[in-house]
Amino acid sequence: MKKILIIEDDKKLSNGICLALRNDYYCSQAYSLITAREFDVKQFDLILLDINFPDGSGMDYLMEIRRESNVPVILVTASNMEIDIVSGLEQGADDYITKPFSLMVLRARVNVQLRDSRQDTGIFKDADYYFDFYKMEFLYKGSPVCLSRTEQRVLRCLIENR
């Protein structure tokens, strides 16, 4: 399961993001930059990073991350000023989302970043089976198979760990 580090000082928002993503991703949370620095960013597949913290600047921390890793980073912030968006992207963010935001939109942006950074295509094929985990198409001998989200996750886990 892909791992996401959520660095957000608003605990309610951080917990809400974690709840929205927990079915598909393993989430770790940091509520301050001091705590965030205790994590090894190379161990994560994606970082969601707020910009404003009582103990420092998320933009400065983004530059620290970029010195050691190319992990995708989505900036999550209340600032929707054009200069902040441009500055964040120029300093190495892969995407930028402003608060308040829809959790569905956040999930879609997370999925896009993780899809772009994956090596596999999300497709498994053999003589009888065709599974496309990104299009959620599951076929057995050419016939569609309906799978719940849990069944899809279990199937993906089994295929990845044959």
Side-chain angles (χ1 to χ4, degrees), residues 27-93:
C27 296
S28 295
Q29 296 170 276
Y31 304 114
S32 68
L33 292 176
I34 291 171
T35 307
R37 287 183 177 100
E38 294 173 7
F39 289 96
D40 179 4
V41 294
K42 292 178 243 160
Q43 301 300 312
F44 292 91
D45 299 295
L46 176 80
I47 296 174
L48 296 173
L49 175 63
D50 191 2
I51 289 179
N52 299 311
F53 290 91
D55 61 340
S57 164
M59 295 296 257
D60 292 341
Y61 185 60
L62 173 61
M63 289 189 289
E64 289 177 38
I65 292 170
R66 284 295 167 247
R67 281 194 286 271
E68 62 181 274
S69 174
N70 285 324
V71 62
V73 175
I74 299 176
L75 294 178
V76 180
T77 183
S79 177
N80 64 354
M81 293 178 48
E82 190 173 288
I83 188 72
D84 290 336
I85 296 169
V86 171
S87 175
L89 295 171
E90 285 179 348
Q91 289 184 34

Side-chain angles (χ1 to χ4, degrees), residues 48-157:
L48 296 173
L49 175 63
D50 191 2
I51 289 179
N52 299 311
F53 290 91
D55 61 340
S57 164
M59 295 296 257
D60 292 341
Y61 185 60
L62 173 61
M63 289 189 289
E64 289 177 38
I65 292 170
R66 284 295 167 247
R67 281 194 286 271
E68 62 181 274
S69 174
N70 285 324
V71 62
V73 175
I74 299 176
L75 294 178
V76 180
T77 183
S79 177
N80 64 354
M81 293 178 48
E82 190 173 288
I83 188 72
D84 290 336
I85 296 169
V86 171
S87 175
L89 295 171
E90 285 179 348
Q91 289 184 34
D94 296 280
D95 200 355
Y96 192 105
I97 188 166
T98 56
K99 302 173 191 173
F101 53 84
S102 153
L103 289 175
M104 229 156 70
V105 170
L106 178 68
R107 280 180 58 88
R109 289 179 180 223
V110 165
N111 290 337
V112 165
Q113 289 303 318
L114 291 175
R115 180 181 64 230
D116 290 345
S117 68
R118 283 191 287 261
Q119 296 298 319
D120 71 293
T121 63
I123 296 173
F124 171 82
K125 293 186 230 176
D126 81 359
D128 294 331
Y129 300 97
Y130 174 84
F131 305 136
D132 185 332
F133 289 93
Y134 303 122
K135 292 182 181 176
M136 290 186 275
E137 280 182 20
F138 307 97
L139 306 174
Y140 173 68
K141 293 186 178 181
S143 298
V145 177
C146 186
L147 299 174
S148 70
R149 288 186 72 87
T150 301
E151 291 169 331
Q152 291 172 28
R153 284 195 312 272
V154 169
L155 178 62
R156 179 77 185 245
C157 184

Side-chain angles (χ1 to χ4, degrees), residues 11-26:
K11 290 182 181 182
K12 276 187 165 179
L13 178 59
S14 182
N15 290 337
I17 292 169
C18 197
L19 279 172
L21 299 174
R22 76 176 181 188
N23 287 335
D24 298 314
Y25 305 104
Y26 175 79

